[in-house]
Amino acid sequence: MSNIKLYTAKLSPPGRAVELTASLLGLELEIIPINLLAGDHRKPEFLKMNPQHTIPIIDDGGVVIRDSHAIIIYLVQKYGKDLALYPDDPITRAKINAALHFDSGVLFSRLRFYFEPILYGGSSELPQHKIDYMRKGYELLNDALVDDYIVGNTLTLADLSCIATIATMEAFFPLEDRSSYPKLFAWIERISQLPDYDRLNQQGAIEFAEICESLRLSNGTKANYIFKHTMEATTQLKLILYYDDVSPPVRSVMLAVAALNLQDRIEYKYVNLFAGEHLKSDFVKLNPLHTVPVLRYEAEDLTITDSHAILLYLCETFASTGDDLAIDSPVARARVSNRLCFNNGFLFQRDAEVMRKIFRGDIAEISADIRKPLTEAIDVLEQYLQGTKYVAADHLTVADFSIVATVSTLDLILPINGVRWPRVHEWFEVMRALTYYEQANQVGLQKLRAKLCTKVAI
């Protein structure tokens, strides 16, 4: 029998799913406790095994597997005397895989949206919309249970994964009305009869809920102690930003850095795009896409090579509770992400295509045909701005930084007309009035303008 090391915490629902699976397979695991509240998952030795700094992970004789869903499939396929928990039939496996994704993307994500601000953000809130969001998960699973188990009438990995999360959710917010969830209640009762279920799952679920509630109450009387303590511990944090501010994506990140007052935490490394420094071997090793910006955090061996991902990371790491730039709910994140995707996949791509043609010498003048796709892109932005003051909400978000960096670039060759685009023009003026706009965006924009003037008349 292989000596399998499991890096986990009793509090972790995914970790408990692995332990339930191993128990049914008759596997003995060497448990390596990871104290999440003490930051064990962010220590260098742990990050070498899992740069995503999540638990559980297993080390099976040098084979390291991350993510509980991948782990439990691996254990069954390698060590199961039969494949009852994950049958070989492709249809059954497809249904089990769907349920594992349901656990990961619906049940556990909703639970995480609730507890993470308490554990790591110093929150004392009890947001009703998050509670309702979790309880909707109960309803979804109840409706999906057409048989004794999630997939058919025999126990599978789908049940073991979901029960670890559901037991934890119920420890937070108990299912009091049996009549509303009859199939779910029966399923929970059925799974709870598994050997050693209480020790392997239920105790950890209850303990986790008790710790979270204790911290939530403590947060309310200690002025966000956990958040402040975390920020104090990272006072010396240095992030490296590889940049050339002629680039709109770079300027969007510089706007966010200024808005979050992070200038002193950033070490800037200039990459001259027009000199081809982004194509040099050392930089390509850092970012095979040879693009800027790149954000590097060496302490966690973290490299982010896309401006939109950088913007979200900066918000989620440094924006304090109550700050406009804080993304405090799944709905807010979805709205911001939607506008970031609009910029990345539509607005910026049209701008970038024209710029590439200009600097290749394919365009001698900015004709109506050249402006047409750009005009259509601004038309879409005009529609987006009909419903909100800013591009993703009625307050400033990082989506505004991303889009204004592109729009200001487009404005060099397609002036933002207040007659055709009154809302875009109004929003653009608000953005240009930001105290940090000049230094963070306009300086680089003027450098780009000077380069463009050598190629076309603008």
Side-chain angles (χ1 to χ4, degrees):
M1 185 67 68
S2 177
N3 181 23
I4 305 170
K5 296 179 180 178
L6 172 64
Y7 295 79
T8 190
K10 186 179 180 182
L11 306 182
S12 165
R16 286 185 263 115
V18 173
E19 292 197 67
L20 282 168
T21 302
S23 175
L24 289 175
L25 293 173
L27 293 174
E28 293 186 8
L29 303 174
E30 179 184 349
I31 304 297
I32 311 296
I34 299 296
N35 188 331
L36 298 175
L37 297 179
D40 287 355
H41 58 309
R42 294 183 178 273
K43 292 179 179 179
E45 57 270 24
F46 187 86
L47 292 172
K48 287 180 181 179
M49 291 187 293
N50 185 8
Q52 295 175 347
H53 53 74
T54 57
I55 57 170
I57 62 174
I58 63 168
D59 181 346
D60 184 9
V63 175
V64 175
I65 310 291
R66 308 165 189 140
D67 185 89
S68 64
H69 308 90
I71 291 170
I72 59 179
I73 291 173
Y74 169 83
L75 292 178
V76 171
Q77 292 186 319
K78 184 169 181 180
Y79 295 104
K81 294 179 181 177
D82 57 54
L83 296 178
L85 293 174
Y86 194 61
D88 210 12
D89 171 56
I91 295 175
T92 304
R93 280 198 176 176
K95 293 178 179 179
I96 294 172
N97 291 340
L100 295 179
H101 283 290
F102 174 74
D103 174 52
S104 176
V106 177
L107 296 179
F108 184 71
S109 66
R110 295 178 187 211
L111 175 63
R112 187 177 67 244
F113 290 145
Y114 175 80
F115 72 71
E116 277 191 346
I118 296 171
L119 292 185
Y120 306 118
S123 174
S124 60
E125 296 179 0
L126 197 65
Q128 188 60 44
H129 70 278
K130 291 187 179 182
I131 298 171
D132 294 341
Y133 201 45
M134 269 197 286
R135 286 182 169 153
K136 180 65 175 178
Y138 293 153
E139 179 183 329
L140 293 171
L141 184 53
N142 182 78
D143 292 346
L145 282 162
V146 297
D147 296 305
D148 286 348
Y149 296 93
I150 294 176
V151 179
N153 288 309
T154 57
L155 183 77
T156 69
L157 293 181
D159 302 288
L160 300 179
S161 187
C162 290
I163 192 62
T165 304
I166 286 291
T168 309
M169 290 168 63
E170 217 219 341
F172 278 101
F173 301 104
L175 281 161
E176 297 172 350
D177 184 5
R178 287 180 174 266
S179 63
S180 297
Y181 311 101
K183 292 182 288 185
L184 182 58
F185 265 107
W187 174 78
I188 293 173
E189 180 65 24
R190 198 171 292 118
I191 304 296
S192 68
Q193 302 306 309
L194 291 174
D196 214 9
Y197 173 85
D198 187 63
R199 180 184 67 84
L200 292 173
N201 190 44
Q202 194 63 30
Q203 290 178 12
I206 293 171
E207 184 178 339
F208 185 28
E210 289 175 346
I211 288 174
C212 278
E213 180 61 10
S214 176
L215 280 174
R216 188 184 72 81
L217 296 173
S218 178
N219 291 338
T221 59
K222 293 184 179 180
N224 294 324
Y225 169 78
I226 295 176
F227 177 78
K228 291 183 177 180
H229 177 74
T230 302
M231 293 306 291
E232 288 168 4
T234 59
T235 298
Q236 302 304 317
L237 172 67
K238 276 293 183 182
L239 301 170
I240 302 172
L241 180 66
Y242 294 82
Y243 82 105
D244 185 340
D245 53 0
V246 299
S247 159
V250 166
R251 285 185 266 117
S252 72
V253 172
M254 294 177 75
L255 284 163
V257 167
L260 292 166
N261 197 28
L262 299 175
Q263 294 92 328
D264 292 340
R265 297 191 180 193
I266 302 291
E267 178 183 350
Y268 294 90
K269 291 193 177 182
Y270 181 60
V271 179
N272 189 329
L273 296 179
F274 286 102
E277 292 181 0
H278 59 305
L279 302 174
K280 293 183 177 180
S281 59
D282 286 347
F283 186 80
V284 173
K285 286 180 182 178
L286 180 71
N287 179 14
L289 297 174
H290 50 75
T291 56
V292 290
V294 174
L295 188 70
R296 175 74 178 155
Y297 179 22
E298 294 185 349
E300 290 197 0
D301 195 24
L302 174 67
T303 302
I304 311 177
T305 59
D306 176 83
S307 64
H308 309 87
I310 293 172
L311 291 171
L312 290 173
Y313 172 79
L314 292 177
C315 281
E316 293 173 348
T317 305
F318 297 105
S320 57
T321 303
D323 191 311
D324 278 352
L325 297 182
I327 302 174
D328 56 6
S329 74
V331 173
R333 185 183 177 91
R335 288 172 176 161
V336 170
S337 295
N338 180 259
R339 296 302 186 256
L340 291 175
C341 289
F342 161 70
N343 181 70
N344 186 31
F346 190 81
L347 188 65
F348 175 69
Q349 292 305 321
R350 296 192 174 202
D351 167 61
E353 179 61 18
V354 172
M355 291 297 169
R356 279 192 291 268
K357 290 179 178 179
I358 291 174
F359 286 110
R360 281 200 310 256
D362 297 341
I363 296 175
E365 61 177 339
I366 309 298
S367 65
D369 286 342
I370 297 299
R371 288 192 175 97
K372 183 180 178 181
L374 306 180
T375 300
E376 292 172 348
I378 303 299
D379 285 343
V380 175
L381 181 58
E382 177 71 12
Q383 291 303 308
Y384 279 149
L385 282 164
Q386 295 303 309
T388 53
K389 181 178 178 180
Y390 292 87
V391 299
D394 285 325
H395 59 81
L396 189 70
T397 71
V398 288
D400 294 285
F401 298 150
S402 184
I403 291 175
V404 79
T406 304
V407 167
S408 61
T409 305
L410 288 173
D411 186 56
L412 297 175
I413 54 179
L414 178 69
I416 302 302
N417 186 322
V419 175
R420 177 162 181 157
W421 302 302
R423 281 294 295 118
V424 175
H425 184 271
E426 179 184 359
W427 164 81
F428 195 18
E429 289 301 309
V430 170
M431 295 300 294
R432 289 196 283 198
L434 294 171
T435 56
Y436 45 82
Y437 180 91
E438 177 74 21
Q439 184 62 38
N441 191 62
Q442 196 64 27
V443 171
L445 195 63
Q446 290 306 315
K447 293 179 185 177
L448 179 60
R449 181 186 180 86
K451 294 286 187 181
L452 282 171
C453 287
T454 67
K455 297 291 185 178
V456 294
I458 58 174

